[in-house]
């Protein structure tokens, strides 16, 4: 419906990327996707870590970049998702000097 589209557009325009998301994308050399992430509401590391392949495809991310992004997200999930229930972590930090982001920059 038109009102749903208008609400969605307004929500997208009000989104602002967290610094952690910007840093995460920069480490992957994926800054070109920052606007697509923002406009689609993937504006925090909690939402980024919850991304599925379908979301990445909808954003127009290249297939090879999807592989790299899935790997990076899996590294963060493995490091921070300690609860067997799959509950989100209390804090997600891509900018803490961890090995996976260092490996991505290499």
């Amino acid at each position: 419906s038109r009102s749903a589209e208008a609400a969605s557009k307004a929500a997208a325009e009000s989104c602002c990327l967290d610094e952690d998301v910007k840093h995460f994308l920069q480490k992957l050399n994926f800054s070109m996707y920052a606007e697509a992430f923002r406009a689609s509401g993937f504006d925090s590391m909690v939402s980024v870590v919850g991304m599925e392949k379908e979301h990445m495809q909808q954003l127009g991310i290249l297939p090879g970049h999807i592989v790299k992004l899935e790997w990076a997200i899996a590294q963060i999930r493995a490091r921070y998702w300690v609860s067997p229930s799959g509950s989100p972590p209390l804090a997600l930090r891509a900018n803490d000097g961890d090995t996976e982001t260092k490996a991505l920059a290499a």
Side-chain angles (χ1 to χ4, degrees):
S1 77
R2 274 195 142 148
S3 61
E5 288 176 25
S8 182
K9 185 177 179 182
E13 290 172 358
S14 71
C15 286
C16 181
L17 283 184
D18 287 352
E19 287 301 314
D20 285 346
V21 176
K22 290 178 187 176
H23 181 77
F24 175 73
L25 292 172
Q26 287 169 350
K27 285 292 188 181
L28 291 167
N29 294 318
F30 287 173
S31 294
M32 70 288 248
Y33 297 120
E35 176 56 21
F37 272 57
R38 186 206 61 77
S40 295
F42 293 102
D43 56 352
S44 72
M45 286 307 294
V46 171
S47 59
V48 169
V49 171
M51 287 181 90
E52 299 291 336
K53 186 174 191 167
E54 298 77 33
H55 299 126
M56 298 172 198
Q57 292 169 330
Q58 289 170 356
L59 292 179
I61 297 174
L62 295 172
H65 291 174
I66 288 174
V67 171
K68 191 174 180 183
L69 185 56
E70 286 181 318
W71 178 85
I73 288 171
Q75 297 299 308
I76 293 172
R77 286 177 181 160
R79 181 170 179 161
Y80 292 100
W81 250 254
V82 292
S83 169
S85 70
S87 299
L90 295 176
L92 281 174
R93 303 269 320 159
N95 189 14
D96 64 358
D98 54 284
T99 357
E100 58 266 18
T101 53
K102 286 182 182 174
L104 297 173

